[in-house]
Amino acid sequence: MNKGEGLRLYRTLTLIRRAEEAIRLHYGDDDMKTPVHLSIGQEAIPVGVCHVLPEGSPMFGTYRNHALYLALTEDTDRFFAELHGKEVGMGRGKAGSMHLCEPSRGLLATSAVVATTIPLAVGAALAQAYRHLRQPVAVFFGDGAAEEGVFWESLNFACQRSLNLLFVCEDNGLAIHAPAADRRGFSSITHAVRGFRCCTATADGSDLSAIIEATRALYRDMEAGKQPGLLHVSYFRFLEHVGIGEDFSVGYRQAPSDQERRERDPLIRFSSHLLSLGYHPAELRAIDVEVDDQIRGSIARARSADYPPAEALYEDLWV
Amino acid sequence: MTETMTYREALAFAAAKEMDADPTVFVFGLDVPDHKRIFGSTKGLVEKFGSDRCFGTPLSEDAMTGVAIGAALSGLRPVHVHIRADFLLLGMNQIANVMSSLRYMSGGALRMPLVIRAVIGRGWGQGAQHSKSMHGLFGHFPGIKVSLPTSPQDAYSMLRAAIRDDNPVILLEHRWLYDIEGSVDEQYLPPLPGPVMVRQGTEVTVACTSWMTIEAMKAADVLARHGVRLEVIDIRTVAPLDETPVVSSVAKTGRCIIADYDWLYAGFSAELAARLAHRCFGLFKKPIERIGFAPVPCPTTRPLENLFYPSAVQIIRAVERLLDLDSIDLSQESFYSYEERFKGPF
Ligand SMILES: Cc1ncc(C[n+]2csc(CCOP(=O)(O)OP(=O)(O)O)c2C)c(N)n1
Ligand SMILES: [Mg+2]
């Protein structure tokens, strides 16, 4: 990682975190009428994977897509406009938080129905093979999605066809409030997929450098073995499943200690890493300030933007 | 005994009653036992009946629907709960290819006392994948009973009737109805009930489903102040459909609006309109009016959501057309009041 790269990665991570902190701050005004599944704790996964894969690689995600969307686009204008339901939002107010996409940057689809985009990514990888291209495709999904039949059907087909597809399981050990042990008849996903002809790797979701390293190695294996890959990344979901609050008090899981909070926070981890490499605190602070400016501007523009006109209801249905 | 309770409480109360009465009844589904309890509608069940009879599942709707069918074939009475009706689509093979037809294909040898409860979402950006009702779609398959309880009494009586029914029943519960309070007579236990007249009138019949009943009652209140009396019929059970109460009403009014909580195309409103056109031929003074969702996927932003969903306003405008009235000034009325109250997220 050269210096410029380190600062760019720091900027992307910070942009995602500060954008979501801004959502938390302003949500109570009720101008963003859309259920938000925040990514605090998870940011490093898409940032790391998107950093490794070639630019423009087709990507798919879930309703917990803010980090993926911002990692690929860094476009807080269209992001906040969409959360505010405005005409200039990325989906003209028809997507909301749960369906963000940006085809021009490779993000083809996300979905509010769990596991839905996994086979779409297989189809995108099939299209690559069909055209004799080798651009990789990536799909991000939660640990709960691996319980759906469609995950196994998709994995099987991708392996049988040796597709150039990276499955990224973002494992927070929870599906809403249900812990993995209440849902799984297997101990780990990487273990469970062992019989399939695919490469696997694991990484700690709070460590951006580790994610980048694991993705690189896995991608090399995939290229060498002409096999799909499964990257399993565990992370800590700091907030409630949907919404802006913490919910440690309701009893289904324990609050982390202060030390755990620091250890599981990808932004804290990555900034200390950079500082230990000799980056100057002022360089990072300058990025923080610049990012906050960008977000403040985006929110102000989103607020004053127009809602879509009535005709928009019927537009965009047919080509 | 009659008690006042909310719709969500009535659902939990009904489930507890049936679980008490019959040890083969169990309630399962994603999130059923967590602290939110499907918006409170499964509250108290896991405490009272334990985790053998009230439990969560993996995210596996297809398999879990099959599991429910297999358990029902084996003499149990499962209640499979979904926090959104949209997720039923993942279990559609089991619903449409198996649940609907197994008894028929067995020459009547099999029984499937199985209930699927699912919540219809709306508002605050639910969007295209968290807002479907699909009662017409489910009703399309012979062999499935499909009901949409509207009042707390309906929620209570219809869930109990559905559990007791030896046929598969899908209950679709509108999210906004959960907060509605009403009196519930716990002794009122008819078999799965069909259409009910919820307001008597003379000029126009409004046949409605689910939340549209609330909108029709609002329209009726407004119109009553302008001397127009709507007769409002809540269909409640769309399959099998008993349209006779609507036919009798049309015989009196000669005018009918079908206000369905769904898209119009090939939906329940089309079915009811076809039946009325046949049975009331010659009675109509004006063509049937149909009101439903705009023919697009549900958008998320509020201004487009308001245009997407049918409301009391459209019912009033349709009444004006049917009665050749001048446009009523609605500027002093408040509509969409629930939209302001519902703050999400789901
Ligand atoms: C098919 C389907 N079933 C149920 C739901 C309701 N639901 C939304 S998110 C979620 C949990 C998913 O957990 P996971 O895949 O681990 O993702 P996470 O939210 O933890 O990122 C559930 C059950 C849904 N959206 N889609
Ligand atoms: Mg999870």
Side-chain angles (χ1 to χ4, degrees):
Chain A
M1 181 173 75
N2 65 37
K3 177 118 189 187
E5 244 175 22
L7 290 178
R8 277 199 55 75
L9 288 167
Y10 176 80
R11 187 183 190 283
T12 313
L13 264 191
T14 304
L15 183 76
I16 298 165
R17 174 65 58 85
R18 302 296 254 229
E20 292 207 320
E21 291 296 355
I23 293 171
R24 296 185 71 194
L25 185 66
H26 296 294
Y27 210 48
D29 303 344
D30 202 28
D31 291 331
M32 294 182 258
K33 295 181 170 63
T34 176
V36 288
H37 301 77
L38 297 185
S39 62
I40 295 180
Q42 176 216 27
E43 301 95 330
I45 307 172
V47 172
V49 171
C50 296
H51 180 69
V52 172
L53 296 190
E55 212 174 296
S57 299
M59 304 259 175
F60 296 84
T62 71
Y63 48 88
R64 199 180 296 287
N65 55 31
H66 293 178
L68 178 59
Y69 180 88
L70 291 172
L72 285 170
T73 68
E74 302 197 6
D75 183 352
T76 47
D77 274 3
R78 278 157 67 75
F79 174 77
F80 277 108
E82 186 59 36
L83 298 191
H84 283 76
K86 298 302 177 71
E87 168 78 358
V88 291
M90 109 329 99
R92 305 185 70 199
K94 297 170 180 179
S97 162
M98 300 193 287
H99 307 283
L100 299 178
C101 70
E102 194 60 81
S104 67
R105 302 289 309 155
L107 182 55
L108 290 183
T110 63
S111 173
V113 180
V114 172
T116 305
T117 58
I118 299 173
L120 308 192
V122 178
L126 180 73
Q128 290 291 323
Y130 190 92
R131 298 198 179 100
H132 306 289
L133 302 172
R134 282 296 290 176
Q135 191 170 35
V137 177
V139 58
F140 297 80
F141 54 92
D143 51 305
E147 289 147 27
E148 295 283 4
V150 72
F151 165 69
W152 299 97
E153 296 173 24
S154 302
L155 180 67
N156 180 53
F157 184 74
C159 293
Q160 192 271 330
R161 291 281 187 136
S162 309
L163 296 177
N164 194 11
L165 172 58
L166 176 59
F167 294 89
V168 183
C169 180
E170 304 176 303
D171 187 351
N172 54 20
L174 293 169
I176 307 190
H177 312 111
D182 288 4
R183 301 177 279 119
R184 282 184 204 159
F186 52 88
S187 49
S188 93
I189 291 166
T190 38
H191 198 269
V193 305
R194 260 190 204 159
F196 287 83
R197 288 192 293 274
C198 73
C199 317
T200 60
T202 56
D204 170 0
S206 45
D207 185 347
L208 177 55
S209 316
I211 294 167
I212 291 174
E213 212 170 293
T215 308
R216 267 207 189 111
L218 179 61
Y219 187 47
R220 267 198 304 271
D221 290 350
M222 288 165 59
E223 292 277 281
K226 299 265 175 286
Q227 287 187 342
L230 181 120
L231 177 66
H232 176 263
V233 193
S234 45
Y235 77 96
F236 185 73
R237 189 186 86 202
F238 277 83
L239 303 179
E240 57 189 330
H241 168 71
V242 56
I244 59 165
E246 289 190 344
D247 66 347
F248 299 113
S249 61
V250 297
Y252 69 95
R253 60 173 177 159
Q254 290 235 307
S257 67
D258 287 348
Q259 191 191 339
E260 283 166 330
R261 271 180 193 275
R262 280 192 303 275
E263 280 171 1
R264 318 257 10 212
D265 183 323
L267 185 57
I268 294 181
R269 286 282 294 274
F270 192 64
S271 40
S272 4
H273 176 63
L274 293 183
L275 294 176
S276 75
L277 290 177
Y279 286 60
H280 203 277
E283 293 174 295
L284 305 190
R285 255 200 318 277
I287 290 177
D288 295 348
V289 169
E290 186 238 321
V291 159
D292 279 343
D293 264 1
Q294 175 182 335
I295 290 168
R296 236 191 323 274
S298 292
I299 292 178
R301 283 186 289 279
R303 285 194 161 158
S304 59
D306 290 331
Y307 285 108
E311 316 83 83
L313 180 66
Y314 295 98
E315 291 166 357
D316 309 317
L317 184 62
W318 307 110
V319 174
Chain B
M1 209 178 79
T2 299
E3 265 185 79
T4 300
M5 63 181 83
T6 59
Y7 189 94
R8 71 182 83 228
E9 288 165 344
L11 288 168
F13 187 43
K17 284 276 181 191
E18 285 304 318
M19 290 172 88
D20 245 340
D22 181 349
T24 66
V25 178
F26 68 100
V27 176
F28 78 120
L30 277 164
D31 314 319
V32 161
D34 76 10
H35 62 280
K36 295 203 172 166
R37 305 287 162 97
I38 313 289
F39 313 118
S41 68
T42 57
K43 195 171 166 189
L45 300 183
V46 69
E47 287 77 6
K48 183 142 189 240
F49 302 101
S51 54
D52 286 343
R53 295 184 65 194
C54 177
F55 53 90
T57 69
L59 281 100
S60 306
E61 290 81 358
D62 183 8
M64 292 305 126
T65 308
V67 166
I69 294 171
L73 293 175
S74 312
L76 299 184
R77 290 183 180 272
V79 180
H80 190 198
V81 185
H82 298 262
I83 208 156
R84 280 292 177 271
D86 309 66
F87 308 154
L88 288 177
L89 291 169
L90 281 78
M92 207 61 181
N93 169 52
Q94 294 293 348
I95 290 172
N97 279 329
V98 182
M99 187 174 95
S100 66
S101 13
L102 221 50
R103 172 177 170 77
Y104 188 76
M105 295 191 294
S106 75
L110 293 172
R111 249 162 227 260
M112 237 180 297
L114 141 63
V115 179
I116 295 177
R117 283 185 47 210
V119 182
I120 306 165
R122 172 164 176 180
W124 215 77
Q126 300 301 302
Q129 299 178 336
H130 276 59
S131 56
K132 291 181 207 70
S133 166
M134 300 185 289
H135 48 281
L137 176 66
F138 297 124
H140 181 73
F141 304 110
I144 306 173
K145 296 189 178 181
V146 183
S147 294
L148 303 95
T150 303
S151 68
Q153 180 75 61
D154 289 343
Y156 174 81
S157 299
M158 293 172 85
L159 178 54
R160 292 200 66 175
I163 293 173
R164 291 170 176 212
D165 204 304
D166 281 337
N167 300 287
V169 181
I170 297 180
L171 287 185
L172 297 164
E173 306 153 4
H174 195 284
R175 175 68 181 84
W176 289 3
L177 295 170
Y178 270 56
D179 300 319
I180 287 186
E181 218 173 45
S183 61
V184 172
D185 173 359
E186 67 173 83
Q187 308 297 342
Y188 183 62
L189 296 171
L192 201 63
V196 58
M197 188 202 292
V198 288
R199 182 165 179 138
Q200 207 172 0
T202 46
E203 272 118 336
V204 178
T205 302
V206 188
C208 25
T209 53
S210 191
W211 183 259
M212 288 316 291
T213 306
I214 308 295
E215 297 289 341
M217 295 300 269
K218 167 83 189 176
D221 284 341
V222 172
L223 287 164
R225 280 184 259 117
H226 296 269
V228 177
R229 280 156 304 162
L230 296 188
E231 181 144 300
V232 181
I233 298 176
D234 181 358
I235 299 292
R236 297 196 294 187
T237 295
V238 298
L241 173 64
D242 170 20
E243 74 279 11
T244 301
V246 189
V247 170
S248 313
S249 176
V250 170
K252 197 165 65 174
T253 62
R255 298 175 186 89
C256 185
I257 297 169
I258 304 171
D260 190 23
Y261 195 82
D262 201 354
W263 290 287
L264 299 180
Y265 182 86
F268 170 74
S269 69
E271 173 63 26
L272 181 57
R275 291 195 189 193
L276 295 177
H278 188 79
R279 290 187 58 184
C280 305
F281 187 70
L283 296 176
F284 280 112
K285 298 172 189 150
K286 287 271 188 159
I288 296 171
E289 293 271 352
R290 289 195 292 150
I291 291 173
F293 297 167
V296 293
C298 180
T300 49
T301 190
R302 170 69 56 81
L304 297 188
E305 256 180 1
N306 286 351
L307 295 168
F308 173 83
Y309 284 110
S311 76
V313 177
Q314 275 121 299
I315 296 174
I316 293 167
R317 297 305 178 212
V319 167
E320 291 164 358
R321 284 194 295 278
L322 291 176
L323 295 172
D324 296 314
L325 300 175
D326 292 335
S327 185
I328 295 169
D329 175 16
L330 298 176
S331 58
Q332 301 310 306
E333 305 286 349
S334 82
F335 296 99
Y336 297 111
S337 56
Y338 205 88
E339 282 78 344
E340 292 310 324
R341 252 182 296 154
F342 181 69
K343 296 276 191 248
F346 287 118

